[in-house]
């Protein structure tokens, strides 16, 4: 079953394996993908679907060093080289649009981070001056929140201009959309804060606006319920996420990308409520075969894998053949040159197609 084809909103996937989004911090200072980025993604084009690293929709959305953007013509041109290379290699690729919100530092961006509320997370971030505390962010005004929705829309349009097959909105892992959902990061008293209905509003309005701009079949969203990342508290996740998923279900999006919650009950409830394609990502699953078996059995349509795609450009082939896997070297995961980026070896095959 992992190697069966799948129809994703009219996009034919050759298998059920998705390359998960992974920050690699190898863009140029101006947010243009580096010269190696096209090769990196093209090497992994045998994935059923590639979802890129997080791409900021605006200068305000940047949090980390050397991350790429989708808000200038030069960035679009850089991503066009990437999508052309992936498509030439037979692949399919979505751009993950990520606003980091309160996770950032002026040493990386030249400005204070922005957020739903002026609440500093108990977190640190790498900067050119070492590991530093994340500062207190600036609270977005209501008008600025509405403008940020438009930033996502503009980035999504630019993604299609750059040749991407679609976009994934990053609503997970403690970044801006996720911060609006959280009870300790969102202390607002306007229509984007307070009640569950208000706290899910930014996510829903952003997804709705992007889907209207580029098409619902080219729009996905990622969530990570109650995972406790980036100092977020979600004690009411069993109320928030069913409400969020139910609201998103009415938009007929291409997919929901679920980073598994520690609560199996919540995971099951989300699967019940979500009518379209579900991509599951389970960091606790261990080896790729275990993740595939567990989540395809639980009703996921596709399964995303991160570090093993990082280290194995031909991961679907290795799994299909039962071949050994390269182990990722996480010391080279962020920043640097080709080492740990484009130099992981593909499987050597005999003429008959068996591992050498």
């Amino acid at each position: 079953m992992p190697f069966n084809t799948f129809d994703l909103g009219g996009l034919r996937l050759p298998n059920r394996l998705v390359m998960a989004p992974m920050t690699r911090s190898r863009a140029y200072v101006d947010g243009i993908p580096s010269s190696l980025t096209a090769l990196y993604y093209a090497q992994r084009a045998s994935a059923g679907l590639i979802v890129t690293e997080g791409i900021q929709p605006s200068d305000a959305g940047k949090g980390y060093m050397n991350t790429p953007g989708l808000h200038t013509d030069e960035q679009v041109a850089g991503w066009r080289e990437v999508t052309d290379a992936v498509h030439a290699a037979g692949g399919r690729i979505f751009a993950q649009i990520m606003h980091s919100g309160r996770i950032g530092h002026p040493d990386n961006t030249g400005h204070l981070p922005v957020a739903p509320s002026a609440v500093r997370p108990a977190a640190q971030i790498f900067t050119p001056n070492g590991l530093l505390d994340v500062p207190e962010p600036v609270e977005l005004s209501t008008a600025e929140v509405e403008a940020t929705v438009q930033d996502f829309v503009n980035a999504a349009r630019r993604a299609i201009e750059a040749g991407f097959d679609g976009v994934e909105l990053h609503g997970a892992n403690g970044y801006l959309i996720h911060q609006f959902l959280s009870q300790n990061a969102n202390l607002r008293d306007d229509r984007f804060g307070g009640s569950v209905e208000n706290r899910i509003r930014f996510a829903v309005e952003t997804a709705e606006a992007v889907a209207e701009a580029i098409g619902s079949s080219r729009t996905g969203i990622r969530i990570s319920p109650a995972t406790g990342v980036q100092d977020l508290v979600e004690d009411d996740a069993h109320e928030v996420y069913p409400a969020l998923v139910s609201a998103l279900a009415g938009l007929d999006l291409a997919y929901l990308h679920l980073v598994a919650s520690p609560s199996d009950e919540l995971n099951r409830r989300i699967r019940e409520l979500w009518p379209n394609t579900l991509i599951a990502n389970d960091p606790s699953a261990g080896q790729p075969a275990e993740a595939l078996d567990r989540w395809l059995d639980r009703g996921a349509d596709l399964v995303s894998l991160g570090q093993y795609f990082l280290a194995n450009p031909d991961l679907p082939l290795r799994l299909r053949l039962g071949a050994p896997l390269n182990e990722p070297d996480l010391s080279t995961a962020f920043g640097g040159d080709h080492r740990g980026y484009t130099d992981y070896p593909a499987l050597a095959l005999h003429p008959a197609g068996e591992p050498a």
Side-chain angles (χ1 to χ4, degrees):
M1 184 175 176
F3 307 106
N4 293 348
T5 61
F6 185 80
D7 185 281
L8 181 68
L11 185 66
R12 182 181 174 277
L13 311 186
N15 58 63
R16 306 295 183 94
L17 280 70
V18 176
M19 177 176 165
M22 292 175 283
T23 297
R24 303 308 308 271
S25 296
R26 282 174 165 86
Y28 298 120
V29 174
D30 50 8
I32 299 172
S34 78
S35 57
L36 291 173
T37 304
L39 175 60
Y40 166 71
Y41 284 115
Q43 287 174 336
R44 290 153 179 81
S46 63
L49 176 68
I50 293 170
V51 183
T52 71
E53 63 213 272
I55 305 173
Q56 56 255 13
S58 62
D59 278 334
K62 181 177 180 179
Y64 296 101
M65 293 187 295
N66 301 120
T67 52
L70 256 175
H71 52 92
T72 71
D73 292 344
E74 292 77 15
Q75 292 163 357
V76 169
W79 281 115
R80 170 59 77 173
E81 292 184 24
V82 174
T83 61
D84 283 350
V86 170
H87 290 147
R92 299 133 301 275
I93 184 167
F94 271 42
Q96 188 192 68
I97 303 178
M98 169 186 152
H99 190 304
S100 64
R102 67 181 189 168
I103 305 302
H105 197 282
D107 287 7
N108 291 342
T109 64
H111 56 75
L112 284 168
V114 297
S117 300
V119 179
R120 190 188 76 79
Q124 293 186 311
I125 191 169
F126 282 102
T127 75
N129 297 309
L131 191 62
L132 298 176
D133 290 341
V134 172
E136 181 179 298
V138 176
E139 180 173 318
L140 291 163
S141 69
T142 303
E144 287 170 335
V145 174
E146 294 166 348
T148 301
V149 172
Q150 190 59 45
D151 288 340
F152 276 90
V153 170
N154 292 340
R157 288 191 174 118
R158 284 184 175 273
I160 300 306
E161 181 186 350
F164 284 101
D165 298 298
V167 305
E168 175 180 288
L169 305 177
H170 197 351
N173 299 96
Y175 300 114
L176 185 67
I177 294 176
H178 197 181
Q179 291 160 25
F180 272 93
L181 303 175
S182 166
Q183 65 200 104
N184 73 323
N186 183 351
L187 307 180
R188 304 177 70 89
D189 58 7
D190 64 358
R191 69 188 190 93
F192 293 102
S195 68
V196 168
E197 180 184 7
N198 283 355
R199 279 187 280 137
I200 70 172
R201 190 184 305 277
F202 180 70
V204 175
E205 289 192 0
T206 300
E208 183 177 27
V210 169
E212 183 177 349
I214 67 168
S216 59
S217 66
R218 297 197 286 191
T219 306
I221 188 168
R222 193 180 209 219
I223 60 172
S224 57
T227 51
V229 295
Q230 308 278 25
D231 196 34
L232 292 187
V233 174
E234 296 186 286
D235 291 336
D236 57 355
H238 285 264
E239 184 180 359
V240 169
Y241 284 91
L244 173 65
V245 172
S246 296
L248 292 171
L251 303 180
D252 195 30
L253 302 181
Y255 66 76
L256 178 70
H257 191 172
L258 172 66
V259 180
S261 168
S263 168
D264 285 339
E265 177 187 351
L266 184 54
N267 293 328
R268 285 193 295 270
R269 182 65 177 143
I270 288 170
R271 173 67 282 189
E272 291 170 359
L273 291 170
W274 183 250
N276 290 356
T277 298
L278 181 72
I279 303 175
N281 179 277
D282 189 349
S284 71
Q287 293 292 314
E290 180 183 351
L292 287 164
D293 290 344
R294 177 186 299 181
W295 284 98
L296 293 176
D297 286 347
R298 291 182 179 183
D301 300 290
L302 307 168
V303 176
S304 71
L305 301 167
Q307 293 180 13
Y308 282 100
F309 258 116
L310 181 155
N312 297 273
D314 54 352
L315 183 60
L317 175 63
R318 288 176 184 264
L319 294 178
R320 184 168 60 80
L321 296 178
L325 299 177
N326 302 321
E327 290 295 324
D329 176 7
L330 297 185
S331 70
T332 60
F334 305 108
D337 53 20
H338 69 285
R339 290 168 290 186
Y341 193 46
T342 58
D343 63 347
Y344 282 105
L347 199 62
L349 297 177
H350 289 302
E354 295 299 321

